[in-house]
Amino acid sequence: MQLGFFNFKTTNLIGFLQYYPLQSILSRNGNYMKKILGISAFYHDSAAALTIGDDIVAAAQEERFTRDKHTPDFPTNAIKYCLEEAGLEIDELDAIVFYDKPLLKFERLLQTYYSFSPKGLLSFLKAIPVWVKEKMFLKKLIYDGLKEVGEYDKKQVKLLFPEHHLSHAASSFFPSPHDTAAILTVDGVGEWCTATIGLGEGNKIKVLKELEFPHSIGLLYTSFTYYLGFTVNSGEYKLMGLAPYGNPESEETFRFVELIKGNIVDIKEDGSIWLNQSYFTYATGLKMTNNKKWAELLGFERREAEADIEQYHCNLALAIQIVTEEVVLKMAREAKRITGSDNLCMAGGVALNCVANGKLIRENIFKNVYIQPAAGDAGGALGAALAANYIYYGAERKVQSPNDNMKGSYLGPSYSGKEIELMNRKVKAVCTKYEDYTQLTKEVANRLEEGLIIGWFQGRMEFGPRALGNRSIIADARNLEMQKKINLKIKYREGFRPFAPSVLAEDASDYFELDQPSPYMLTVSPIAEKRKVKLPDNYYDLSMWERLYTTRSDIQSITHLDFSARVQTVHRETNPRYWELINTFKEKTNYGLVINTSFNVRGEPIVCTPHDAYRCFMSTDMDYLVIDDFVYSKTEQPDWENKDKWLVKFKMD
Amino acid sequence: MEALKDLWNFIRKRKAYWLAPIILILVLIGVLLVFGGTGALAPFIYTLF
């Protein structure tokens, strides 16, 4: 294996315009609160966010409106919603900020093709026309997209372009409750950067070190996602969920770790990595991996999508999880070493690896770890807006300690009683309206205890990939059958996939080894010792399905195979209605937690409108639906057994 | 024109002059393809190739 010393490089920020020099980003004082629209688009997870001064007024992903998961389209609907929420027109905005620098990305593309030539000709011929026709003229694309949103005067629009990883860094640091913090951003790739370490102080962010393409821990993880038969850019969660099925004591798992570290990736002490490009084709090809070389190394062919999952697939998933954690921890230690800060803020797609996050928190490298709930590219829209507000315009930043500035990530649209009633009329829904919320929670708690599954829709939609109690499917976590039932009959997804709990923040330590709040479901924690049930001696000799259905704890449905859970702590201050529901369930059952999974089926974006929720409810075996104060029982709905009538086919992810 | 100005400024600030001829050729091919498709320039392109 060819090993070159590849360290984190010293960074060179290049400002906010597509070509601006460093000096131009020096702060300039504004006299009033800037109204700024952030946009991410054209790659995946398009989104828009609107800020007025410190206030994050609205943020939403375009997929929720167009019902096309991870859509790369210009976020016309999301922008319309953000402007409506703020009561603004395009002309009233101080700036519109795109979340990365397209020309810098184009430079990377050309330089990469040049370096690898003559390899990659096919990919070059496919990619370049798109760039020459569209992406090189991104300003025009944005202007045209804005025309779809509404009338505006082009001369009034100020377009800014912060770097991709600066947008990530800003999305995490600026809303965080910290005045100073180390910032770690890790993802697949932005323009050139794949990871950065920075320091946030007040209203400034200084990027100190960066790792450049093609060496990327995000792309390494995605390559394994691809090799194990899951979809690139969306199946990473499945890989993470599969890892606990791997046997941590098996020789095969150790062998895989050694093979990965000895051949594919070289991990340096500062957390930077060097990827042996002979194992990859993503730099120049249309696929992620050199499958022939991987098969020779690992001893098995790439798994086809939907093919059976064997134990060696699980062990490989565990091996790459172990390697990823090692890299993230080393990067965090390097961030601590060069910043000396007690706080860490994280963003970028890799920051959605909740298992690595849990390990990072338990390592106690930092006193406080804050992770942006929309850590992926959608969050870049918010980061871009915040970066413009604080760094470009130099706005003063007021830290909201101890709480962050994300409003629980409930930044999307909500719907009035009138709108819900109109939907009821349109679909001829039968429902009961509860004037007294306490009565409603009692009714729902009763149904949960009976083992029924509830679609729970209320208030503003969440921003980011997680449903946090406003667009959720909920059920009783104690029920032994629930994991199987929800996967197969409600979500129509792979049976191995785990479920996460929503737990009252006050009671979290009663169920989990967790000493920090986890309001955004971004941390995996072990189940408390007292909850565990002794496993049979031959546990690891059982098949993965037998192990899955072996009782592991008294909260079985949210206990993953390795006795872990991806916890959401529910706080009365940020979501009082959801808190009260779980508290009512606790009064009845003595258990202050429920299963919380996103309100959608496989391949579908999380529901946005009451109609999306009703349609999803009717097309699955969900028993009850709650939309704000309205409760719908499945068996009371007209023609309720005819699920096909409501079924919409979504692209499998 | 704004896009070309941005491109030139980008190349200058990044001192990535090696990009200029590549981009120029790509843009020229792009222009030929776009206009070639519309028919107005098509006769000239046929004689070129």
Side-chain angles (χ1 to χ4, degrees), chain A residues 14 18-19 21 103-104 106-107 110-111 124 128 132 136-137 139 143 192, chain B residues 2-4 6-7 9-10 13-14 16 18-19 22-23 26-27 30 34:
Chain A
I14 57 168
Q18 293 203 60
Y19 53 85
L103 295 183
L104 203 53
F106 189 53
E107 179 199 77
L110 289 179
Q111 201 164 316
F124 178 81
I128 293 302
V132 173
M136 243 165 75
F137 307 101
K139 277 186 174 176
Y143 289 135
W192 274 104
Chain B
E2 192 189 359
L4 291 178
D6 279 351
L7 255 171
N9 280 318
F10 173 79
K13 299 293 176 196
R14 292 280 294 171
W18 65 274
L19 275 172
I22 297 175
I23 291 175
L26 287 173
V27 170
V34 170

mmCIF file of all heavy atoms in Angstrom, chain A residues 14 18-19 21 103-104 106-107 110-111 124 128 132 136-137 139 143 192, chain B residues 2-4 6-7 9-10 13-14 16 18-19 22-23 26-27 30 34:
data_model
loop_
_atom_site.group_PDB
_atom_site.id
_atom_site.type_symbol
_atom_site.label_atom_id
_atom_site.label_comp_id
_atom_site.label_asym_id
_atom_site.label_seq_id
_atom_site.Cartn_x
_atom_site.Cartn_y
_atom_site.Cartn_z
ATOM 1 N N ILE A 14 -11.787 31.747 1.670
ATOM 2 C CA ILE A 14 -11.742 32.727 0.579
ATOM 3 C C ILE A 14 -13.026 33.548 0.453
ATOM 4 O O ILE A 14 -13.443 33.911 -0.629
ATOM 5 C CB ILE A 14 -11.363 32.081 -0.760
ATOM 6 C CG1 ILE A 14 -12.317 30.969 -1.103
ATOM 7 C CG2 ILE A 14 -9.940 31.621 -0.764
ATOM 8 C CD1 ILE A 14 -12.157 30.523 -2.532
ATOM 9 N N GLN A 18 -18.118 34.556 -5.007
ATOM 10 C CA GLN A 18 -17.591 33.369 -5.660
ATOM 11 C C GLN A 18 -16.071 33.461 -5.796
ATOM 12 O O GLN A 18 -15.401 32.468 -5.904
ATOM 13 C CB GLN A 18 -18.239 33.192 -7.027
ATOM 14 C CG GLN A 18 -19.713 32.864 -6.904
ATOM 15 C CD GLN A 18 -20.208 32.154 -8.148
ATOM 16 O OE1 GLN A 18 -19.738 31.105 -8.495
ATOM 17 N NE2 GLN A 18 -21.169 32.746 -8.816
ATOM 18 N N TYR A 19 -15.510 34.695 -5.808
ATOM 19 C CA TYR A 19 -14.074 34.835 -6.048
ATOM 20 C C TYR A 19 -13.398 35.720 -5.009
ATOM 21 O O TYR A 19 -12.253 36.089 -5.142
ATOM 22 C CB TYR A 19 -13.849 35.460 -7.432
ATOM 23 C CG TYR A 19 -14.602 36.740 -7.636
ATOM 24 C CD1 TYR A 19 -14.060 37.943 -7.203
ATOM 25 C CD2 TYR A 19 -15.864 36.736 -8.219
ATOM 26 C CE1 TYR A 19 -14.762 39.117 -7.365
ATOM 27 C CE2 TYR A 19 -16.566 37.904 -8.390
ATOM 28 C CZ TYR A 19 -16.015 39.094 -7.960
ATOM 29 O OH TYR A 19 -16.707 40.244 -8.106
ATOM 30 N N PRO A 21 -11.428 37.798 -2.085
ATOM 31 C CA PRO A 21 -10.230 37.530 -1.292
ATOM 32 C C PRO A 21 -10.516 37.583 0.212
ATOM 33 O O PRO A 21 -11.571 38.049 0.628
ATOM 34 C CB PRO A 21 -9.296 38.661 -1.691
ATOM 35 C CG PRO A 21 -10.205 39.795 -2.034
ATOM 36 C CD PRO A 21 -11.440 39.161 -2.614
ATOM 37 N N LEU A 103 -17.847 27.617 -8.030
ATOM 38 C CA LEU A 103 -16.653 27.673 -8.887
ATOM 39 C C LEU A 103 -15.485 26.907 -8.269
ATOM 40 O O LEU A 103 -14.708 26.267 -8.965
ATOM 41 C CB LEU A 103 -16.258 29.127 -9.152
ATOM 42 C CG LEU A 103 -17.271 29.938 -9.958
ATOM 43 C CD1 LEU A 103 -16.758 31.342 -10.218
ATOM 44 C CD2 LEU A 103 -17.604 29.244 -11.275
ATOM 45 N N LEU A 104 -15.431 26.952 -6.951
ATOM 46 C CA LEU A 104 -14.379 26.210 -6.253
ATOM 47 C C LEU A 104 -14.608 24.711 -6.429
ATOM 48 O O LEU A 104 -13.672 23.924 -6.564
ATOM 49 C CB LEU A 104 -14.410 26.582 -4.767
ATOM 50 C CG LEU A 104 -13.141 26.381 -3.967
ATOM 51 C CD1 LEU A 104 -11.948 27.058 -4.599
ATOM 52 C CD2 LEU A 104 -13.340 26.896 -2.545
ATOM 53 N N PHE A 106 -16.088 23.393 -8.983
ATOM 54 C CA PHE A 106 -15.768 23.110 -10.394
ATOM 55 C C PHE A 106 -14.254 22.950 -10.560
ATOM 56 O O PHE A 106 -13.780 22.068 -11.274
ATOM 57 C CB PHE A 106 -16.297 24.244 -11.272
ATOM 58 C CG PHE A 106 -16.215 23.956 -12.743
ATOM 59 C CD1 PHE A 106 -16.755 22.791 -13.272
ATOM 60 C CD2 PHE A 106 -15.607 24.841 -13.607
ATOM 61 C CE1 PHE A 106 -16.677 22.515 -14.630
ATOM 62 C CE2 PHE A 106 -15.533 24.584 -14.969
ATOM 63 C CZ PHE A 106 -16.070 23.417 -15.477
ATOM 64 N N GLU A 107 -13.517 23.791 -9.850
ATOM 65 C CA GLU A 107 -12.055 23.697 -9.884
ATOM 66 C C GLU A 107 -11.616 22.317 -9.377
ATOM 67 O O GLU A 107 -10.779 21.652 -9.983
ATOM 68 C CB GLU A 107 -11.445 24.791 -9.000
ATOM 69 C CG GLU A 107 -9.938 24.750 -8.966
ATOM 70 C CD GLU A 107 -9.380 25.504 -7.773
ATOM 71 O OE1 GLU A 107 -9.418 24.958 -6.646
ATOM 72 O OE2 GLU A 107 -8.907 26.620 -7.965
ATOM 73 N N LEU A 110 -12.372 19.626 -12.053
ATOM 74 C CA LEU A 110 -11.434 19.620 -13.180
ATOM 75 C C LEU A 110 -10.059 19.123 -12.749
ATOM 76 O O LEU A 110 -9.429 18.322 -13.439
ATOM 77 C CB LEU A 110 -11.316 21.022 -13.780
ATOM 78 C CG LEU A 110 -12.534 21.520 -14.551
ATOM 79 C CD1 LEU A 110 -12.296 22.934 -15.067
ATOM 80 C CD2 LEU A 110 -12.862 20.596 -15.722
ATOM 81 N N GLN A 111 -9.617 19.582 -11.584
ATOM 82 C CA GLN A 111 -8.295 19.182 -11.105
ATOM 83 C C GLN A 111 -8.244 17.680 -10.837
ATOM 84 O O GLN A 111 -7.253 17.026 -11.109
ATOM 85 C CB GLN A 111 -7.948 19.962 -9.836
ATOM 86 C CG GLN A 111 -6.451 19.975 -9.593
ATOM 87 C CD GLN A 111 -6.055 21.048 -8.599
ATOM 88 O OE1 GLN A 111 -6.543 22.173 -8.670
ATOM 89 N NE2 GLN A 111 -5.192 20.699 -7.660
ATOM 90 N N PHE A 124 -16.349 12.039 -16.708
ATOM 91 C CA PHE A 124 -16.065 13.415 -17.137
ATOM 92 C C PHE A 124 -17.088 13.858 -18.190
ATOM 93 O O PHE A 124 -17.674 14.934 -18.094
ATOM 94 C CB PHE A 124 -14.643 13.469 -17.708
ATOM 95 C CG PHE A 124 -14.242 14.817 -18.238
ATOM 96 C CD1 PHE A 124 -13.803 15.807 -17.379
ATOM 97 C CD2 PHE A 124 -14.299 15.103 -19.598
ATOM 98 C CE1 PHE A 124 -13.433 17.059 -17.863
ATOM 99 C CE2 PHE A 124 -13.920 16.349 -20.090
ATOM 100 C CZ PHE A 124 -13.488 17.331 -19.205
ATOM 101 N N ILE A 128 -19.431 16.983 -17.064
ATOM 102 C CA ILE A 128 -19.080 18.314 -17.555
ATOM 103 C C ILE A 128 -20.235 19.039 -18.272
ATOM 104 O O ILE A 128 -20.466 20.231 -18.012
ATOM 105 C CB ILE A 128 -17.797 18.249 -18.425
ATOM 106 C CG1 ILE A 128 -16.611 17.884 -17.530
ATOM 107 C CG2 ILE A 128 -17.547 19.544 -19.179
ATOM 108 C CD1 ILE A 128 -16.351 18.824 -16.356
ATOM 109 N N VAL A 132 -21.228 22.812 -17.545
ATOM 110 C CA VAL A 132 -21.114 23.890 -18.541
ATOM 111 C C VAL A 132 -22.491 24.500 -18.803
ATOM 112 O O VAL A 132 -22.627 25.702 -19.017
ATOM 113 C CB VAL A 132 -20.475 23.345 -19.834
ATOM 114 C CG1 VAL A 132 -20.492 24.389 -20.939
ATOM 115 C CG2 VAL A 132 -19.037 22.920 -19.555
ATOM 116 N N MET A 136 -22.090 25.954 -13.635
ATOM 117 C CA MET A 136 -21.112 27.031 -13.706
ATOM 118 C C MET A 136 -21.820 28.388 -13.669
ATOM 119 O O MET A 136 -21.238 29.394 -13.289
ATOM 120 C CB MET A 136 -20.322 26.900 -15.003
ATOM 121 C CG MET A 136 -18.850 26.658 -14.769
ATOM 122 S SD MET A 136 -18.079 26.091 -16.268
ATOM 123 C CE MET A 136 -17.979 27.580 -17.204
ATOM 124 N N PHE A 137 -23.059 28.367 -14.094
ATOM 125 C CA PHE A 137 -23.834 29.623 -14.119
ATOM 126 C C PHE A 137 -24.883 29.572 -13.011
ATOM 127 O O PHE A 137 -26.071 29.783 -13.242
ATOM 128 C CB PHE A 137 -24.466 29.819 -15.494
ATOM 129 C CG PHE A 137 -23.458 29.718 -16.596
ATOM 130 C CD1 PHE A 137 -23.332 28.563 -17.362
ATOM 131 C CD2 PHE A 137 -22.598 30.771 -16.844
ATOM 132 C CE1 PHE A 137 -22.375 28.470 -18.361
ATOM 133 C CE2 PHE A 137 -21.631 30.685 -17.847
ATOM 134 C CZ PHE A 137 -21.522 29.528 -18.609
ATOM 135 N N LYS A 139 -25.502 31.421 -10.495
ATOM 136 C CA LYS A 139 -26.232 32.656 -10.162
ATOM 137 C C LYS A 139 -27.507 32.732 -10.995
ATOM 138 O O LYS A 139 -28.565 33.094 -10.480
ATOM 139 C CB LYS A 139 -25.357 33.881 -10.436
ATOM 140 C CG LYS A 139 -24.409 34.214 -9.309
ATOM 141 C CD LYS A 139 -23.722 35.520 -9.621
ATOM 142 C CE LYS A 139 -22.858 35.976 -8.460
ATOM 143 N NZ LYS A 139 -22.113 37.193 -8.793
ATOM 144 N N TYR A 143 -31.287 32.988 -9.782
ATOM 145 C CA TYR A 143 -32.203 34.053 -10.217
ATOM 146 C C TYR A 143 -33.474 33.459 -10.836
ATOM 147 O O TYR A 143 -34.586 33.896 -10.551
ATOM 148 C CB TYR A 143 -31.526 34.971 -11.245
ATOM 149 C CG TYR A 143 -30.440 35.865 -10.675
ATOM 150 C CD1 TYR A 143 -29.218 36.027 -11.324
ATOM 151 C CD2 TYR A 143 -30.654 36.584 -9.495
ATOM 152 C CE1 TYR A 143 -28.233 36.858 -10.811
ATOM 153 C CE2 TYR A 143 -29.658 37.415 -8.978
ATOM 154 C CZ TYR A 143 -28.455 37.540 -9.639
ATOM 155 O OH TYR A 143 -27.484 38.357 -9.125
ATOM 156 N N TRP A 192 -13.500 21.535 -1.665
ATOM 157 C CA TRP A 192 -12.308 20.697 -1.535
ATOM 158 C C TRP A 192 -12.321 19.937 -0.198
ATOM 159 O O TRP A 192 -11.852 18.834 -0.088
ATOM 160 C CB TRP A 192 -11.043 21.575 -1.586
ATOM 161 C CG TRP A 192 -10.567 21.855 -2.982
ATOM 162 C CD1 TRP A 192 -10.725 23.024 -3.672
ATOM 163 C CD2 TRP A 192 -9.875 20.969 -3.856
ATOM 164 N NE1 TRP A 192 -10.171 22.914 -4.919
ATOM 165 C CE2 TRP A 192 -9.628 21.656 -5.070
ATOM 166 C CE3 TRP A 192 -9.429 19.652 -3.753
ATOM 167 C CZ2 TRP A 192 -8.969 21.086 -6.150
ATOM 168 C CZ3 TRP A 192 -8.764 19.083 -4.838
ATOM 169 C CH2 TRP A 192 -8.537 19.795 -6.017
ATOM 170 N N GLU B 2 -22.035 38.244 -16.557
ATOM 171 C CA GLU B 2 -21.695 38.285 -15.125
ATOM 172 C C GLU B 2 -20.964 36.998 -14.733
ATOM 173 O O GLU B 2 -19.985 37.026 -13.982
ATOM 174 C CB GLU B 2 -22.970 38.453 -14.300
ATOM 175 C CG GLU B 2 -22.668 38.804 -12.854
ATOM 176 C CD GLU B 2 -23.903 38.768 -11.966
ATOM 177 O OE1 GLU B 2 -24.993 38.483 -12.468
ATOM 178 O OE2 GLU B 2 -23.749 39.036 -10.769
ATOM 179 N N ALA B 3 -21.444 35.888 -15.292
ATOM 180 C CA ALA B 3 -20.847 34.596 -14.965
ATOM 181 C C ALA B 3 -19.400 34.541 -15.441
ATOM 182 O O ALA B 3 -18.520 34.063 -14.719
ATOM 183 C CB ALA B 3 -21.664 33.479 -15.604
ATOM 184 N N LEU B 4 -19.156 35.046 -16.639
ATOM 185 C CA LEU B 4 -17.793 35.022 -17.171
ATOM 186 C C LEU B 4 -16.879 35.936 -16.358
ATOM 187 O O LEU B 4 -15.714 35.618 -16.106
ATOM 188 C CB LEU B 4 -17.800 35.446 -18.652
ATOM 189 C CG LEU B 4 -18.464 34.430 -19.588
ATOM 190 C CD1 LEU B 4 -18.475 34.957 -21.015
ATOM 191 C CD2 LEU B 4 -17.737 33.086 -19.545
ATOM 192 N N ASP B 6 -17.277 36.641 -13.186
ATOM 193 C CA ASP B 6 -17.034 35.899 -11.939
ATOM 194 C C ASP B 6 -15.952 34.846 -12.140
ATOM 195 O O ASP B 6 -15.064 34.681 -11.306
ATOM 196 C CB ASP B 6 -18.327 35.200 -11.472
ATOM 197 C CG ASP B 6 -19.251 36.157 -10.740
ATOM 198 O OD1 ASP B 6 -18.809 37.289 -10.459
ATOM 199 O OD2 ASP B 6 -20.410 35.788 -10.476
ATOM 200 N N LEU B 7 -16.070 34.156 -13.263
ATOM 201 C CA LEU B 7 -15.098 33.095 -13.559
ATOM 202 C C LEU B 7 -13.686 33.663 -13.656
ATOM 203 O O LEU B 7 -12.752 33.129 -13.066
ATOM 204 C CB LEU B 7 -15.455 32.453 -14.903
ATOM 205 C CG LEU B 7 -16.099 31.079 -14.848
ATOM 206 C CD1 LEU B 7 -16.588 30.683 -16.223
ATOM 207 C CD2 LEU B 7 -15.129 30.040 -14.320
ATOM 208 N N ASN B 9 -12.559 36.477 -12.407
ATOM 209 C CA ASN B 9 -12.120 36.928 -11.083
ATOM 210 C C ASN B 9 -11.693 35.750 -10.214
ATOM 211 O O ASN B 9 -10.725 35.823 -9.469
ATOM 212 C CB ASN B 9 -13.244 37.700 -10.393
ATOM 213 C CG ASN B 9 -13.314 39.126 -10.892
ATOM 214 O OD1 ASN B 9 -12.294 39.774 -11.075
ATOM 215 N ND2 ASN B 9 -14.512 39.601 -11.158
ATOM 216 N N PHE B 10 -12.453 34.677 -10.311
ATOM 217 C CA PHE B 10 -12.138 33.468 -9.539
ATOM 218 C C PHE B 10 -10.755 32.940 -9.926
ATOM 219 O O PHE B 10 -9.913 32.665 -9.070
ATOM 220 C CB PHE B 10 -13.218 32.405 -9.811
ATOM 221 C CG PHE B 10 -12.910 31.066 -9.209
ATOM 222 C CD1 PHE B 10 -13.131 30.825 -7.860
ATOM 223 C CD2 PHE B 10 -12.397 30.035 -9.986
ATOM 224 C CE1 PHE B 10 -12.835 29.593 -7.308
ATOM 225 C CE2 PHE B 10 -12.116 28.798 -9.438
ATOM 226 C CZ PHE B 10 -12.334 28.582 -8.093
ATOM 227 N N LYS B 13 -8.044 35.356 -8.588
ATOM 228 C CA LYS B 13 -7.845 35.311 -7.132
ATOM 229 C C LYS B 13 -7.230 33.995 -6.693
ATOM 230 O O LYS B 13 -6.457 33.956 -5.754
ATOM 231 C CB LYS B 13 -9.180 35.514 -6.386
ATOM 232 C CG LYS B 13 -9.863 36.835 -6.640
ATOM 233 C CD LYS B 13 -9.081 37.998 -6.069
ATOM 234 C CE LYS B 13 -9.769 39.300 -6.443
ATOM 235 N NZ LYS B 13 -8.901 40.457 -6.266
ATOM 236 N N ARG B 14 -7.603 32.913 -7.345
ATOM 237 C CA ARG B 14 -7.056 31.597 -6.982
ATOM 238 C C ARG B 14 -5.724 31.339 -7.681
ATOM 239 O O ARG B 14 -5.087 30.332 -7.431
ATOM 240 C CB ARG B 14 -8.035 30.483 -7.393
ATOM 241 C CG ARG B 14 -9.311 30.453 -6.614
ATOM 242 C CD ARG B 14 -9.155 29.785 -5.272
ATOM 243 N NE ARG B 14 -8.862 28.366 -5.336
ATOM 244 C CZ ARG B 14 -8.511 27.640 -4.277
ATOM 245 N NH1 ARG B 14 -8.392 28.228 -3.099
ATOM 246 N NH2 ARG B 14 -8.262 26.352 -4.390
ATOM 247 N N ALA B 16 -5.389 30.333 -10.544
ATOM 248 C CA ALA B 16 -5.552 29.032 -11.207
ATOM 249 C C ALA B 16 -5.662 29.263 -12.705
ATOM 250 O O ALA B 16 -6.680 28.939 -13.324
ATOM 251 C CB ALA B 16 -6.794 28.325 -10.663
ATOM 252 N N TRP B 18 -4.277 27.849 -15.104
ATOM 253 C CA TRP B 18 -4.366 26.620 -15.909
ATOM 254 C C TRP B 18 -5.817 26.268 -16.245
ATOM 255 O O TRP B 18 -6.083 25.552 -17.200
ATOM 256 C CB TRP B 18 -3.696 25.451 -15.180
ATOM 257 C CG TRP B 18 -4.377 25.061 -13.899
ATOM 258 C CD1 TRP B 18 -4.182 25.602 -12.672
ATOM 259 C CD2 TRP B 18 -5.384 24.065 -13.737
ATOM 260 N NE1 TRP B 18 -5.001 25.015 -11.740
ATOM 261 C CE2 TRP B 18 -5.748 24.062 -12.366
ATOM 262 C CE3 TRP B 18 -6.032 23.164 -14.596
ATOM 263 C CZ2 TRP B 18 -6.712 23.213 -11.849
ATOM 264 C CZ3 TRP B 18 -6.993 22.312 -14.071
ATOM 265 C CH2 TRP B 18 -7.327 22.340 -12.714
ATOM 266 N N LEU B 19 -6.746 26.826 -15.445
ATOM 267 C CA LEU B 19 -8.163 26.529 -15.677
ATOM 268 C C LEU B 19 -8.692 27.255 -16.916
ATOM 269 O O LEU B 19 -9.632 26.801 -17.553
ATOM 270 C CB LEU B 19 -8.999 26.984 -14.472
ATOM 271 C CG LEU B 19 -9.137 26.022 -13.293
ATOM 272 C CD1 LEU B 19 -9.830 26.741 -12.147
ATOM 273 C CD2 LEU B 19 -9.931 24.792 -13.691
ATOM 274 N N ILE B 22 -8.984 25.466 -20.344
ATOM 275 C CA ILE B 22 -9.929 24.335 -20.244
ATOM 276 C C ILE B 22 -11.360 24.870 -20.244
ATOM 277 O O ILE B 22 -12.225 24.400 -20.993
ATOM 278 C CB ILE B 22 -9.667 23.520 -18.957
ATOM 279 C CG1 ILE B 22 -8.270 22.913 -19.012
ATOM 280 C CG2 ILE B 22 -10.719 22.428 -18.780
ATOM 281 C CD1 ILE B 22 -7.841 22.190 -17.761
ATOM 282 N N ILE B 23 -11.579 25.886 -19.409
ATOM 283 C CA ILE B 23 -12.935 26.439 -19.317
ATOM 284 C C ILE B 23 -13.346 27.061 -20.649
ATOM 285 O O ILE B 23 -14.476 26.888 -21.109
ATOM 286 C CB ILE B 23 -13.041 27.444 -18.150
ATOM 287 C CG1 ILE B 23 -12.938 26.679 -16.818
ATOM 288 C CG2 ILE B 23 -14.348 28.231 -18.199
ATOM 289 C CD1 ILE B 23 -12.917 27.528 -15.592
ATOM 290 N N LEU B 26 -14.331 24.352 -22.981
ATOM 291 C CA LEU B 26 -15.614 23.766 -22.553
ATOM 292 C C LEU B 26 -16.783 24.686 -22.890
ATOM 293 O O LEU B 26 -17.829 24.251 -23.376
ATOM 294 C CB LEU B 26 -15.601 23.480 -21.045
ATOM 295 C CG LEU B 26 -14.746 22.305 -20.599
ATOM 296 C CD1 LEU B 26 -14.679 22.215 -19.081
ATOM 297 C CD2 LEU B 26 -15.286 20.992 -21.168
ATOM 298 N N VAL B 27 -16.567 25.983 -22.631
ATOM 299 C CA VAL B 27 -17.640 26.942 -22.917
ATOM 300 C C VAL B 27 -17.913 26.998 -24.417
ATOM 301 O O VAL B 27 -19.071 26.999 -24.850
ATOM 302 C CB VAL B 27 -17.294 28.352 -22.362
ATOM 303 C CG1 VAL B 27 -18.281 29.402 -22.855
ATOM 304 C CG2 VAL B 27 -17.305 28.318 -20.838
ATOM 305 N N GLY B 30 -19.740 24.040 -25.386
ATOM 306 C CA GLY B 30 -21.113 24.215 -24.853
ATOM 307 C C GLY B 30 -21.944 25.095 -25.761
ATOM 308 O O GLY B 30 -23.071 24.768 -26.112
ATOM 309 N N VAL B 34 -25.256 24.058 -27.800
ATOM 310 C CA VAL B 34 -26.547 24.718 -27.560
ATOM 311 C C VAL B 34 -27.106 25.285 -28.860
ATOM 312 O O VAL B 34 -28.232 24.999 -29.255
ATOM 313 C CB VAL B 34 -26.395 25.833 -26.489
ATOM 314 C CG1 VAL B 34 -27.659 26.684 -26.411
ATOM 315 C CG2 VAL B 34 -26.108 25.194 -25.129
#
